[in-house]
Amino acid sequence: MSGEPTQPSANNIALHNIPVSALKGVGAKLGATLAKLHLNTVQDLLFHLPARYADRTRIADMSELQALQPAVIQGAITRSQIVLGKKRSLVVNLADNTGQVVLRFYFFTAAQQKQLAVGNCLRCYGEPRPGALGLEMYHPEYQSVTSLDDIHGLQDTLTPVYPLTEGLTQKRISLLMHQALNCLDSSPPTELLPAEISAHFNHCTLSQALHLAHNPPADADINSLMMGTHLCLQRLAFEELLAHNLAVQQTRLTEHQDPAPALPADDTLKQALLKTLPFKLTGAQTRVLHEIEQDLNTHVPMHRLVQGDVGSGKTLVAALSALCALGNNYQAAIVAPTEILAEQHRNNFGTWLGALGFKVAWLAGKVTASQKRKALEQLQSGEANMAVGTHALFEDNVIFKNLGLVIIDEQHRFGVQQRLALRKKGGAHCPHQLVMTATPIPRTLAMTAYADLELSVIDELPPGRTPINTVMINQNKRSQIIERVRAACAGGQQAYWVCTLVEDSESLAAVAAEKTWELLQAEAPELKIGLVHGRLKSREKEAVMQQFKAGDLHLLVATTVIEVGVDVPNSSLMIIENPERLGLAQLHQIRGRVGRGSRASHCVLLYGHPLSKQGRSRLEVLRHSNDGFVIAEKDLELRGPGELLGTQQTGDMHFRLANLQRDSAMIERIHSVAKTLLISQPDVVKALVGRWFNYQQEFVKA
Ligand code: ADP
Ligand code: MG
């Protein structure tokens, strides 16, 4: 992108080689403003797509106006008055044959006041908002017209509305866009979509699509343009999502150039482990394990995400996968986000793998220095076959003899950096990687955010589980609930009482949990009540959990540290205080601590008062569904992908035009097209990514 500024009319200069400064009217100042939006070349400009369209093609009836939907209206002024309220304003009533609207101006000149006098006719464009006097428009654009029926000067096409920055106006950018479209005609961009995809979009070319987007013709279907479902816009959305998918895959692919060791499954070992279990694998576990085993059997590093609802039995799948490494004299490591969870894995892996003669090393934040030294030595010498731990496993001083497989449990708690850190511990080769999550991410979202991961879903719970019965109860009925807990515990059941907080502060939550714990002890003195929160020492936490697991405690008061993975089959009642503070997917995970045994389980959502209507309908979702995927879809709809995945995972997935919900039907196709392109057409990949994500590399670096 160097050299002399080129006249845009010069033929055949690739659009990404024409600087915006070559356009008429772009001097140093505007150039700097455009640069703030990363608009450095004509290509950048052309891919700066309208955020939406304004419909100034027709005059709306005032009676059909809807709040926050911008529209053109036209009417006669029936009142014009200065009102001295909190702030002095000029209030103008405008009426047509169907109704009236209030215009409000806080700043106005004498000349304007004259123009806005009673009896004059006006055309306005603005966004109606609900106000004290019905729908109101604040400072709308307006012009005088001769009569109510005057249609002179209405636009004959939709007006693009662009994302702006300070110092840039819609008018300015649309003038630039017209010039950019001329450049587009003299040097049309290369068509990069495969022919069969292009056919799917009726062979709409990129040039045509960009013309349509920036300058929709008068006869284009307004509705489909507004909705983004117009074939040309869909073609652009496809290309944008494809470019995004390629960018994610490409960046992370470069991370594992080194081959992985092939780790064929050892059937004898596998059967030996399965024989020690009191149950059989579910169909879904078997299928997912098979997918993993196939990956592990090659030198291509596995990079697979296993999603499975809480209680679907991911741990066992992880252990059987680890066995592939161990059986081939390679080491495996599993890392969990909390000490409690890591401890549970330590017990499970210790039992299951220990019985087969393998040694499990334990590394958490709070092991003693000498224990830690020993574990480190064992991992480095190869005496330990398996490492189980928390973040401590990421540390530089953790060195493996020959790490073949890394397993990350509840991966949404970790950043991508941390995942990569573990992958580097494989020495000369790249270890396989298995990541597990109980946050069921809708498939299309997962395929976009985790484009570089293969996906497996354990979509079946072990047999004999009864669905959790969830109810919503007002907090002012707390004493009734305490009675219910007493009765259940008297009958031999165990229960959880979960305290939540708005902020993600474990220390504040700990205080809340302590208070509740004291209160419950006072109210139900006959119950043995334990308390766990993130401020306890890991030894203390473990001791309490062990007591609860062993049935020595009736009731466990806890913060959301029990959210993931903790497993006590005899607990069948859970109270969640202030559930309205958490996301649905998270609540579903917490709730998944019960319903693991064969007894019918109950979850009481003890909501704070008053609960908004929206808050109530959100919680209703949990009442009606026990299916994590359904709940996740709903969460996605209500709170967007960032909330569901954590921005740590995705960066900001802001698309210019694509919309994951609207365009979800394309995603499978995009994924497979991307795969093919990555293997066979590196130049196309580079050009596509450059076109759409030239500057925006942050999200892929994540
Ligand atoms: P999660 O997927 O939430 O991590 P876990 O791996 O903790 O679930 O498993 C939950 C419980 O189900 C554990 O007690 C585990 O031993 C048990 N379990 C796992 N697989 C099966 C199975 N196939 N049949 C019956 N119980 C199983
Ligand atoms: Mg788990």
Side-chain angles (χ1 to χ4, degrees), residues 311 314-315 341 344-345 409-410 436 438 564-566 596:
K314 292 184 291 297
T315 317
L341 209 57
Q344 191 168 290
H345 285 330
D409 196 13
E410 303 303 343
M436 308 197 293
V564 282
V566 179
R596 294 192 162 216

Side-chain angles (χ1 to χ4, degrees), residues 207-511:
S207 296
Q208 286 166 345
L210 289 172
H211 269 290
L212 178 115
H214 291 296
N215 192 18
D219 61 356
D221 175 44
I222 288 185
N223 210 19
S224 68
L225 277 171
M226 296 284 236
M227 307 282 291
T229 53
H230 191 287
L231 202 66
C232 289
L233 297 183
Q234 287 280 288
R235 187 222 174 278
L236 289 174
F238 188 98
E239 197 175 308
E240 181 179 25
L241 287 168
L242 178 61
H244 175 268
N245 191 301
L246 289 167
V248 175
Q249 295 212 50
Q250 190 189 36
T251 315
R252 294 190 192 160
L253 273 177
T254 57
E255 300 282 344
H256 43 87
Q257 296 290 8
D258 295 325
L263 306 170
D266 182 327
D267 205 50
T268 318
L269 274 178
K270 192 163 132 187
Q271 294 312 327
L273 197 166
L274 290 175
K275 259 210 321 256
T276 65
L277 301 174
F279 48 73
K280 288 218 293 276
L281 292 181
T282 63
Q285 283 171 317
T286 307
R287 173 173 44 76
V288 169
L289 181 64
H290 184 67
E291 289 165 359
I292 295 168
E293 285 174 350
Q294 283 191 320
D295 287 355
L296 292 178
N297 199 11
T298 75
H299 288 287
V300 180
M302 174 173 78
H303 206 183
R304 185 172 283 278
L305 173 68
V306 172
Q307 298 187 57
D309 216 338
V310 278
S312 60
K314 292 184 291 297
T315 317
L316 185 55
V317 171
L320 288 162
S321 309
L323 212 49
C324 292
L326 274 42
N328 288 282
N329 289 319
Y330 277 88
Q331 292 167 303
I334 182 165
V335 54
T338 62
E339 299 253 340
I340 290 189
L341 209 57
E343 279 156 14
Q344 191 168 290
H345 285 330
R346 176 199 184 185
N347 295 338
N348 280 326
F349 281 74
T351 311
W352 293 336
L353 302 178
L356 304 176
F358 294 109
K359 188 165 184 63
V360 176
W362 165 241
L363 268 179
K366 290 166 187 153
V367 295
T368 67
S370 72
Q371 284 170 323
K372 184 170 175 181
R373 199 172 335 109
K374 196 164 155 226
L376 290 177
E377 277 167 17
Q378 290 177 337
L379 287 172
Q380 189 161 13
S381 70
E383 188 189 338
N385 310 89
M386 173 98 214
V388 178
T390 57
H391 301 77
L393 279 176
F394 298 127
E395 284 166 19
D396 284 340
N397 59 359
V398 182
I399 298 164
F400 291 85
K401 179 172 180 235
N402 58 359
L403 183 61
L405 171 67
V406 167
I407 304 167
I408 300 193
D409 196 13
E410 303 303 343
Q411 59 83 39
H412 63 287
R413 294 295 192 89
F414 296 106
V416 178
Q417 280 316 338
Q418 291 174 306
R419 273 201 258 159
L420 295 180
L422 269 184
R423 214 152 54 186
K424 294 198 185 97
K425 292 190 184 290
H429 59 245
C430 177
H432 294 282
Q433 197 169 77
L434 179 65
V435 291
M436 308 197 293
T437 182
T439 309
I441 303 157
R443 182 169 172 81
T444 49
L445 178 56
M447 288 180 98
T448 307
Y450 306 125
D452 58 329
L453 299 181
E454 306 298 324
L455 299 179
S456 292
V457 181
I458 307 183
D459 51 5
E460 180 186 354
L461 292 180
R465 306 256 168 99
T466 35
I468 304 164
N469 175 29
T470 300
V471 294
M472 290 164 63
I473 292 178
N474 192 319
Q475 243 165 29
N476 61 23
K477 304 217 177 86
R478 203 184 229 244
S479 49
Q480 286 175 30
I481 297 305
I482 296 177
E483 280 316 304
R484 189 161 158 191
V485 171
R486 293 171 89 156
C489 293
Q493 296 180 45
Q494 288 173 281
Y496 290 100
W497 193 293
V498 181
C499 303
T500 65
L501 263 199
V502 190
E503 307 103 292
D504 205 6
S505 155
E506 185 53 38
S507 61
L508 286 177
V511 173

Side-chain angles (χ1 to χ4, degrees), residues 25-281:
V26 184
K29 186 153 174 248
L30 183 54
T33 305
L34 291 171
K36 278 197 276 178
L37 288 171
H38 307 282
L39 303 177
N40 299 309
T41 69
V42 167
Q43 174 170 287
D44 296 340
L45 207 52
L46 285 166
F47 283 86
H48 189 66
L49 293 160
R52 57 191 173 85
Y53 295 93
D55 184 357
R56 296 162 185 244
T57 63
R58 57 177 214 105
I59 296 165
D61 284 345
M62 292 190 192
S63 61
E64 67 173 335
L65 286 186
Q66 292 191 17
L68 309 182
Q69 306 264 337
V72 180
I73 51 171
Q74 191 155 305
I77 297 177
T78 56
R79 168 189 174 218
S80 181
Q81 210 168 29
I82 292 178
V83 175
L84 303 168
K86 242 186 277 167
K87 226 170 139 196
R88 180 170 172 270
S89 61
L90 177 64
V91 174
V92 173
N93 285 29
L94 196 67
D96 67 5
N97 298 326
T98 69
Q100 68 135 9
V101 166
V102 172
L103 316 177
R104 208 182 270 275
F105 300 86
Y106 291 106
F107 314 100
F108 51 92
T109 60
Q112 276 178 316
Q113 207 182 332
K114 209 161 145 202
Q115 199 183 6
L116 295 170
V118 172
N120 289 351
C121 285
L122 282 190
R123 178 181 302 158
C124 298
Y125 177 80
E127 191 179 87
R129 291 166 183 249
L133 306 171
L135 284 180
E136 303 188 4
M137 283 186 184
Y138 298 84
H139 287 271
E141 291 171 32
Y142 67 92
Q143 67 187 83
S144 293
V145 288
T146 54
S147 72
L148 276 185
D149 318 314
D150 181 355
I151 55 164
H152 181 80
L154 275 179
Q155 310 263 321
D156 59 6
T157 176
L158 291 180
T159 316
V161 180
Y162 292 99
L164 295 177
T165 186
E166 207 184 315
L168 190 65
T169 59
Q170 292 295 344
K171 199 157 171 193
R172 211 44 179 298
I173 199 166
S174 65
L175 287 174
L176 296 179
M177 223 42 106
H178 274 104
Q179 296 184 62
L181 289 172
N182 287 338
C183 299
L184 182 68
D185 290 334
S186 45
S187 46
T190 323
E191 293 299 323
L192 298 173
L193 291 187
E196 76 276 12
I197 298 296
S198 179
H200 179 75
F201 294 106
N202 219 352
H203 302 287
C204 165
T205 64
L206 180 59
S207 296
Q208 286 166 345
L210 289 172
H211 269 290
L212 178 115
H214 291 296
N215 192 18
D219 61 356
D221 175 44
I222 288 185
N223 210 19
S224 68
L225 277 171
M226 296 284 236
M227 307 282 291
T229 53
H230 191 287
L231 202 66
C232 289
L233 297 183
Q234 287 280 288
R235 187 222 174 278
L236 289 174
F238 188 98
E239 197 175 308
E240 181 179 25
L241 287 168
L242 178 61
H244 175 268
N245 191 301
L246 289 167
V248 175
Q249 295 212 50
Q250 190 189 36
T251 315
R252 294 190 192 160
L253 273 177
T254 57
E255 300 282 344
H256 43 87
Q257 296 290 8
D258 295 325
L263 306 170
D266 182 327
D267 205 50
T268 318
L269 274 178
K270 192 163 132 187
Q271 294 312 327
L273 197 166
L274 290 175
K275 259 210 321 256
T276 65
L277 301 174
F279 48 73
K280 288 218 293 276
L281 292 181

Side-chain angles (χ1 to χ4, degrees), residues 434-696:
L434 179 65
V435 291
M436 308 197 293
T437 182
T439 309
I441 303 157
R443 182 169 172 81
T444 49
L445 178 56
M447 288 180 98
T448 307
Y450 306 125
D452 58 329
L453 299 181
E454 306 298 324
L455 299 179
S456 292
V457 181
I458 307 183
D459 51 5
E460 180 186 354
L461 292 180
R465 306 256 168 99
T466 35
I468 304 164
N469 175 29
T470 300
V471 294
M472 290 164 63
I473 292 178
N474 192 319
Q475 243 165 29
N476 61 23
K477 304 217 177 86
R478 203 184 229 244
S479 49
Q480 286 175 30
I481 297 305
I482 296 177
E483 280 316 304
R484 189 161 158 191
V485 171
R486 293 171 89 156
C489 293
Q493 296 180 45
Q494 288 173 281
Y496 290 100
W497 193 293
V498 181
C499 303
T500 65
L501 263 199
V502 190
E503 307 103 292
D504 205 6
S505 155
E506 185 53 38
S507 61
L508 286 177
V511 173
E514 255 162 33
K515 279 210 185 107
T516 306
W517 179 63
E518 280 162 14
L519 179 128
L520 288 170
Q521 279 191 319
E523 302 236 347
E526 81 282 12
L527 295 187
K528 289 202 203 104
I529 309 179
L531 173 66
V532 276
H533 54 65
R535 283 210 309 198
L536 294 182
K537 295 218 171 68
S538 72
R539 228 177 319 112
E540 297 168 330
K541 264 188 301 196
E542 189 180 19
V544 179
M545 284 311 299
Q546 284 308 346
Q547 283 178 298
F548 190 63
K549 264 189 159 173
D552 297 339
L553 293 172
H554 296 108
L555 179 62
L556 186 65
V557 177
T559 59
T560 52
V561 293
I562 60 148
E563 175 189 346
V564 282
V566 179
D567 190 31
V568 182
N570 187 44
S571 58
S572 53
L573 174 61
M574 173 174 283
I575 319 297
I576 305 179
E577 283 210 67
N578 297 108
E580 68 277 7
R581 292 169 173 175
L582 301 183
L584 293 182
Q586 198 186 0
L587 285 168
H588 176 66
Q589 288 193 359
I590 296 175
R591 173 175 72 172
R593 302 304 114 230
V594 294
R596 294 192 162 216
S598 50
R599 193 186 295 125
S601 297
H602 301 272
C603 174
V604 177
L605 302 175
L606 203 56
Y607 62 85
H609 191 72
L611 185 61
S612 69
K613 205 168 148 205
Q614 198 204 358
R616 171 174 294 274
S617 65
R618 232 164 59 80
L619 293 181
E620 290 280 345
V621 176
L622 286 178
R623 230 160 59 71
H624 295 303
S625 179
N626 268 304
D627 181 333
F629 280 91
V630 171
I631 291 164
E633 286 283 357
K634 205 71 198 171
D635 228 14
L636 178 63
E637 199 181 301
L638 293 170
R639 308 199 308 161
E643 290 287 334
L644 198 56
L645 294 168
T647 41
Q648 207 182 16
Q649 291 294 314
T650 51
D652 287 307
M653 282 207 301
H654 282 312
F655 296 106
R656 296 154 196 233
L657 204 119
N659 172 315
L660 281 180
Q661 264 138 301
R662 183 193 63 209
D663 304 330
S664 65
M666 300 178 177
I667 308 267
E668 298 264 354
R669 193 69 185 278
I670 285 167
H671 206 67
S672 74
V673 171
K675 281 238 146 83
T676 317
L677 288 178
L678 277 165
I679 295 168
S680 58
Q681 308 219 49
D683 293 348
V684 171
V685 171
K686 198 166 160 231
L688 270 172
V689 174
R691 199 178 257 185
W692 288 91
F693 298 102
N694 200 11
Y695 55 88
Q696 199 185 337

